[in-house]
Amino acid sequence: MITKKLDTTKENIKIAAQIIKAGGIVAFPTETVYGLGADALNEIATSKIYEAKGRPSDNPMIVHISRIEELDLIATEISNTAKVLMEAFWPGPITFVLKKKECVPSVTTGGLNTVAVRMPSDKIARELIKESQTPIAAPSANLSGKASPTNAMDVLEDMDGRVDAVIMGKECQVGIESTVLDLTSDTPVILRPGYITKEEIDKVIKIKTEFDNSLFINPSEKDFHPKSPGMKYKHYAPKAEFKIVKGNGIGIDKVIKELRDKAENEGKKVEVLYYGEDSEKAAKTFFADLRRLDREDVDLIISASLKPEGLGFSVMNRMMKSAGYDIICVEEENDDSIS
Ligand code: TXA
Ligand code: MG
């Protein structure tokens, strides 16, 4: 199939919306990552997404809306807590899991009786949904298992020839996927950490949220049963070997240097990712960095762990998966030179 590359003109958004209405699939920018969209209420259209991504069909998709009125079309039993959260964070990078309405095909929700809904803040995404006159089901626009694309060229790398069109928008502002919050039981549960943090959520509601336990379990362990189907699949794996060095002592730099020197002596191409404690920057560039290192045929990637707090926790959730949980813990060293 020939993939149309559409610049972000009004005309082109209309062309993309026509494709969605006709049951086609279009990749488009959002503030988090690029999505691969189809009419959420058309099961033939949404099943094309699984095919284009090579994605297991039990992995449900997020349904994107542009106005709050569209929520009643697809979800029911919307609690006061849900309304407060929507008021506080929508449009924006947070997805709520709610009871689904009959009209949402089970192909879209991977057979679940719940539906994940998000109202993105990105203007192009909102315009596309509005023009399409239907909610848009969209997972991230990558081949299953690869890092989510955060710019149009990275989308084309995976999707050229596999989708009807790509809207060639700007680089995504956030760079990691939305927070997924399950609101179907009394306690809100974070199924996937994202840009909106637990601390921010807990500030606006009376009930304290919890993290899904599986977020703290290595997926290779047998008691790993995430509530969000997507969290169980292999994710974001680069071609290179990837090691994370963790600890808060000055020993980290020494360990990274030793790892680098040893691998380089063996003739390997090594790249160290430095984010310091800048979790905003890490979120924005990590996925693009992984894709670049794949293209550069790097053999070993080394990165220091970020503090697993707030947005840092969300970035580390992705980083640990990409590294296949290959983590080296450095004991804190006493630095006698500081008096
Ligand atoms: O930022 C984002 O969320 C991006 C953009 C395009 O909006 N989308 C995205 O979609 O990351 P995807 O399909 O790559 O990830 C959706 C996650 C998966 O882990 C999936 O299992 C979970 O949300 N999910 C979707 N529907 C669910 C449901 N009904 N119950 C539990 N988890 C659900
Ligand atoms: Mg994804």
Side-chain angles (χ1 to χ4, degrees):
M1 136 189 342
I2 294 187
T3 300
K4 286 196 173 78
K5 283 106 189 161
L6 303 171
D7 291 335
T8 55
T9 61
K10 275 221 148 67
E11 227 89 291
N12 279 343
I13 306 294
K14 285 196 173 128
I15 292 172
Q18 283 306 329
I19 296 172
I20 300 270
K21 278 187 191 174
I25 50 177
V26 176
F28 63 98
T30 83
E31 70 278 22
T32 55
V33 301
Y34 273 70
L36 182 55
D39 179 350
L41 307 182
N42 175 344
E43 62 182 11
I44 299 170
T46 51
S47 59
K48 287 185 195 164
I49 293 180
Y50 290 111
E51 208 180 299
K53 276 182 66 91
R55 176 181 174 119
S57 60
D58 69 338
N59 192 359
M61 299 174 200
I62 293 175
V63 177
H64 298 71
I65 58 174
S66 65
R67 289 172 308 127
I68 200 75
E69 292 76 26
E70 288 158 353
L71 183 65
D72 283 337
L73 260 179
I74 52 176
T76 181
E77 294 178 33
I78 296 151
S79 65
N80 269 332
T81 304
K83 286 179 189 155
V84 170
L85 288 165
M86 286 164 192
E87 179 72 25
F89 298 115
W90 273 1
I94 186 163
T95 298
F96 302 113
V97 175
L98 303 160
K99 271 257 145 56
K100 90 170 182 76
K101 276 200 173 154
E102 202 64 29
C103 68
V104 184
S106 79
V107 177
T108 303
T109 61
L112 299 174
N113 60 1
T114 53
V115 60
V117 190
R118 176 161 108 81
M119 188 194 290
S121 61
D122 184 274
K123 263 171 106 176
I124 304 291
R126 299 263 295 286
E127 196 63 31
L128 176 68
I129 304 163
K130 211 171 105 202
E131 286 290 336
S132 303
Q133 296 171 320
T134 183
I136 293 184
S140 47
N142 51 283
L143 287 174
S144 195
K146 287 187 69 177
S148 302
T150 55
N151 60 70
M153 292 317 286
D154 286 352
V155 174
L156 285 178
E157 185 177 72
D158 283 11
M159 292 299 160
D160 201 3
R162 303 178 73 89
V163 301
D164 295 297
V166 174
I167 300 182
M168 307 289 288
K170 291 198 204 116
E171 186 191 9
C172 303
Q173 278 306 305
V174 171
I176 57 168
E177 308 89 341
S178 62
T179 307
V180 177
L181 185 67
D182 184 353
L183 296 175
T184 58
S185 50
D186 291 341
T187 306
V189 181
I190 297 176
L191 304 182
R192 179 175 72 183
Y195 189 73
I196 307 285
T197 61
K198 180 179 191 308
E199 293 75 19
E200 289 173 285
I201 297 168
D202 284 343
K203 261 190 212 153
V204 301
I205 50 172
K206 293 193 191 86
I207 330 160
K208 259 205 169 350
T209 55
E210 284 175 8
F211 281 117
D212 182 16
N213 275 338
S214 69
L215 293 174
F216 304 98
I217 301 174
N218 181 334
S220 63
E221 287 173 27
K222 62 176 183 310
D223 44 357
F224 178 72
H225 303 295
K227 287 206 188 102
S228 173
M231 301 299 272
K232 70 175 184 265
Y233 296 109
K234 197 169 151 59
H235 259 91
Y236 321 129
K239 286 192 233 152
E241 185 185 358
F242 186 178
K243 288 184 185 298
I244 298 172
V245 183
K246 188 178 174 191
N248 48 13
I250 51 160
I252 285 196
D253 289 342
K254 202 169 109 194
V255 170
I256 291 180
K257 187 175 180 310
E258 280 167 8
L259 285 170
R260 169 180 225 151
D261 289 349
K262 182 169 174 289
E264 282 179 347
N265 283 338
E266 291 165 2
K268 289 182 179 160
K269 191 169 172 184
V270 183
E271 171 107 3
V272 178
L273 295 173
Y274 283 111
Y275 302 118
E277 281 309 327
D278 191 346
S279 50
E280 292 269 341
K281 178 173 172 244
K284 190 162 177 183
T285 62
F286 179 61
F287 284 151
D289 283 340
L290 286 185
R291 285 177 168 270
R292 173 177 57 81
L293 297 176
D294 265 2
R295 287 191 294 268
E296 290 174 6
D297 279 326
V298 164
D299 301 298
L300 173 66
I301 306 168
I302 310 168
S303 177
S305 168
L306 288 134
K307 249 200 215 106
E309 289 165 6
L311 182 57
F313 178 71
S314 308
V315 174
M316 288 315 296
N317 168 267
R318 276 73 176 175
M319 197 187 279
M320 288 193 297
K321 283 184 189 171
S322 356
Y325 290 77
D326 189 347
I327 302 165
I328 297 163
C329 290
V330 180
E331 294 290 319
E332 199 166 347
E333 279 183 15
N334 288 325
D335 185 353
D336 296 332
S337 65
I338 298 170
S339 55

